[in-house]
């Protein structure tokens, strides 16, 4: 029996279960295989629960050289509305596989990033998930080149490590096709970046928009496209501009949900209503925004939880079967902002 007030040991578990300490070790490290009978294993696990036994993580680190920790380094993800989904995806798979997430946000500060990497290395992490606040091509810190690393919500410029990111072009295609299937043919787009930008999100979503139009036999009209910076104000101004044309669009694909909110405001300022006078589709599925608009915004969801989960899955894989680029599907979330196109008189 464990001494009163003392932390129970593996010997106490063995005594409680009536087995050897070696058998307890085999069960707790899940390496017993057929060498430990199921009934014996059940007795050991019952003893562990009864005694509230905790393994000595530090000793395990000394033996194996691995701590059971997975590093999660991010740049301003903590201030992003999507941070919870990224961390949830990473943490859920970590728990399922007996690991713990060690998370540090660098707030885009190089000194803090260097300190975070040093901390990860000192804890002998199994690997590092390097997360970005928005989808971009980035340069991985040199200190991570010798550590198993997966980039998430971004792409490693050199392709030296696997990257997991949203599949932007099919997402833009899905959004535009939904409007086409509702009968719309004059479909505007308000992009989330200037035309000269090289960010993958804006490039991919615009390409998806153009491909969906082409597949439906609808000519691309550059006069129906506006560039911006993904802000509410850009959405408002661009929508007023589009609706002031001689032949205004009957629907608008907005490159993110903030822009879509601006589009709602722009239409309202003109005495028009969503979706009666113009249908709107967004991109992101920002849960603090999209369902709260009136009507709720139909939008394409960024797969943050799935991306982070895939990143951890790749880190823990010993098969080396994952490609360097791992795009994750963006799915459509239907709400009330799209209606069938009306025939203009």
């Amino acid at each position: 029996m464990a001494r009163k007030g003392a932390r129970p040991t593996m010997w106490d578990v063995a005594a409680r279960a009536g087995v050897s300490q070696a058998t307890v070790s085999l069960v707790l490290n899940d390496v017993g295989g057929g060498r430990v009978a199921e009934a014996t294993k059940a007795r050991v696990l019952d003893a562990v629960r009864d005694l509230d036994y905790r393994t000595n993580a530090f000793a395990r680190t000394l033996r194996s050289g691995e701590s059971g920790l997975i590093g999660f380094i991010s740049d301003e993800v903590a201030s992003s509305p999507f941070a919870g989904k990224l961390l949830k995806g990473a943490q859920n798979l970590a728990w399922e596989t007996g690991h713990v997430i060690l998370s540090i946000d660098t707030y885009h500060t190089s000194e803090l990033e260097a300190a975070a990497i040093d901390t990860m290395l000192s804890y002998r992490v199994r690997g590092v998930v390097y997360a970005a606040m928005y989808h971009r091509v980035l340069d991985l810190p040199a200190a991570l080149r010798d550590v198993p690393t997966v980039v998430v919500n971004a792409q490693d410029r050199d392709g030296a490590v696997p990257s997991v990111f949203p599949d932007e072009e099919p997402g833009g295609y899905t959004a535009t096709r939904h409007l086409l299937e509702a009968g719309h043919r004059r479909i505007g787009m308000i992009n989330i970046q200037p035309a000269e930008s090289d960010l993958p999100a804006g490039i991919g979503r615009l390409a998806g928009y153009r491909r969906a139009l082409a597949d439906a036999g609808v000519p691309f009209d550059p006069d129906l496209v506006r560039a911006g910076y993904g802000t509410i104000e850009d959405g408002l101004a661009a929508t007023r501009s589009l609706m002031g044309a001689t032949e205004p669009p009957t629907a608008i694909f907005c490159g993110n949900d903030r822009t879509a909110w601006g589009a709602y405001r722009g239409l309202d300022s003109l005495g028009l209503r969503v979706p009666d006078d113009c249908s709107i589709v967004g991109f992101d599925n920002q849960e603090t925004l999209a369902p709260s608009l009136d009507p709720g915004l139909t939008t394409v969801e960024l797969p943050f939880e799935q991306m982070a989960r895939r990143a951890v899955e790749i880190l823990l894989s010993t098969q080396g079967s994952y490609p360097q680029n791992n795009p994750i599907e963006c799915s459509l979330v239907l709400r009330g902002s799209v209606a069938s196109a009306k025939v203009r008189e």
Side-chain angles (χ1 to χ4, degrees), residues 155-167:
Q155 298 178 50
D156 175 32
R157 192 182 311 276
D158 296 336
V161 301
S163 299
V164 184
F165 49 87
D167 205 354

Side-chain angles (χ1 to χ4, degrees), residues 264 286-297 335:
Y264 274 57
Q286 189 169 327
E287 291 184 347
T288 56
L289 173 58
S292 302
L293 294 176
D294 182 22
L297 176 65
R335 295 192 179 95

Side-chain angles (χ1 to χ4, degrees), residues 84-172:
K85 290 187 175 183
L86 275 172
L87 289 171
K88 179 182 178 183
Q91 185 165 284
N92 280 353
L93 187 56
W95 277 116
E96 291 169 15
T97 56
H99 295 79
V100 175
I101 294 293
L102 175 60
S103 176
I104 300 177
D105 201 308
T106 68
Y107 299 99
H108 243 339
T109 304
S110 57
E111 294 81 3
L112 186 53
E113 181 176 82
I117 293 171
D118 284 344
T119 299
M120 300 296 179
L121 298 178
S122 70
Y123 277 98
R124 298 184 182 179
V125 293
R126 176 80 178 265
V128 172
V129 174
Y130 190 80
M133 182 180 69
Y134 60 92
H135 187 185
R136 67 183 194 275
V137 179
L138 54 77
D139 297 303
L140 193 69
L144 289 177
R145 294 299 182 185
D146 296 325
V147 183
T149 300
V150 179
V151 170
V152 67
N153 199 34
Q155 298 178 50
D156 175 32
R157 192 182 311 276
D158 296 336
V161 301
S163 299
V164 184
F165 49 87
D167 205 354
E168 306 282 10
E169 194 268 354

Side-chain angles (χ1 to χ4, degrees), residues 6-334:
R7 185 173 177 175
T9 67
M10 192 178 292
W11 294 104
D12 297 323
V13 173
R16 180 71 166 250
V19 299
S20 68
Q21 191 243 8
T23 298
V24 174
S25 180
L26 287 172
V27 172
L28 294 182
N29 289 291
D30 197 26
V31 296
R35 295 156 60 186
V36 180
E38 287 300 317
T40 303
K41 183 177 180 179
R43 289 206 314 276
V44 170
L45 295 177
D46 286 343
V48 167
R49 284 189 292 269
D50 292 345
L51 295 172
D52 195 26
Y53 172 73
R54 297 289 185 272
T55 59
N56 188 327
F58 180 67
R60 182 177 66 179
T61 299
L62 292 178
R63 289 194 305 269
S64 66
E66 293 181 350
S67 63
L69 294 173
I70 294 172
F72 189 100
I73 298 177
S74 54
D75 62 342
E76 298 185 49
V77 169
S79 62
S80 164
F82 309 112
K85 290 187 175 183
L86 275 172
L87 289 171
K88 179 182 178 183
Q91 185 165 284
N92 280 353
L93 187 56
W95 277 116
E96 291 169 15
T97 56
H99 295 79
V100 175
I101 294 293
L102 175 60
S103 176
I104 300 177
D105 201 308
T106 68
Y107 299 99
H108 243 339
T109 304
S110 57
E111 294 81 3
L112 186 53
E113 181 176 82
I117 293 171
D118 284 344
T119 299
M120 300 296 179
L121 298 178
S122 70
Y123 277 98
R124 298 184 182 179
V125 293
R126 176 80 178 265
V128 172
V129 174
Y130 190 80
M133 182 180 69
Y134 60 92
H135 187 185
R136 67 183 194 275
V137 179
L138 54 77
D139 297 303
L140 193 69
L144 289 177
R145 294 299 182 185
D146 296 325
V147 183
T149 300
V150 179
V151 170
V152 67
N153 199 34
Q155 298 178 50
D156 175 32
R157 192 182 311 276
D158 296 336
V161 301
S163 299
V164 184
F165 49 87
D167 205 354
E168 306 282 10
E169 194 268 354
Y173 183 92
T174 296
T176 309
R177 184 181 63 187
H178 181 63
L179 292 170
L180 289 162
E181 289 174 347
H184 297 278
R185 290 299 178 269
R186 286 193 63 76
I187 301 172
M189 181 183 180
I190 307 173
N191 208 350
I192 55 174
Q193 61 194 42
E196 67 274 10
S197 174
D198 61 354
L199 292 177
I203 293 172
R205 295 171 197 182
L206 177 59
Y209 163 81
R210 296 189 63 161
R211 181 165 67 88
L213 293 177
D215 285 355
V218 177
F220 171 72
D221 183 352
D223 290 337
L224 287 175
V225 177
R226 298 291 185 274
Y229 293 91
T231 66
I232 298 168
E233 292 75 17
D234 282 343
L236 190 157
T239 298
R240 290 178 62 91
S241 171
L242 286 168
M243 300 307 293
T246 304
E247 290 187 73
T250 62
I252 303 173
F253 167 37
C254 297
N256 67 8
D257 291 350
R258 291 191 303 276
T259 299
W261 185 8
Y264 274 57
R265 291 177 55 188
L267 290 168
D268 184 65
S269 73
L270 296 170
L272 302 175
R273 177 163 176 79
V274 179
D276 298 339
D277 300 298
C278 185
S279 292
I280 302 289
V281 174
F283 206 113
D284 285 350
N285 194 30
Q286 189 169 327
E287 291 184 347
T288 56
L289 173 58
S292 302
L293 294 176
D294 182 22
L297 176 65
T298 291
T299 185
V300 178
E301 183 168 32
L302 283 170
F304 288 103
E305 188 173 337
Q306 299 95 315
M307 287 192 295
R309 187 178 179 91
R310 177 67 58 82
V312 173
E313 190 177 83
I314 293 172
L315 271 183
L316 299 179
S317 173
T318 59
Q319 307 302 316
S321 57
Y322 289 92
Q324 291 302 92
N325 292 323
N326 299 268
I328 304 298
E329 179 184 2
C330 303
S331 56
L332 187 69
V333 179
L334 298 175

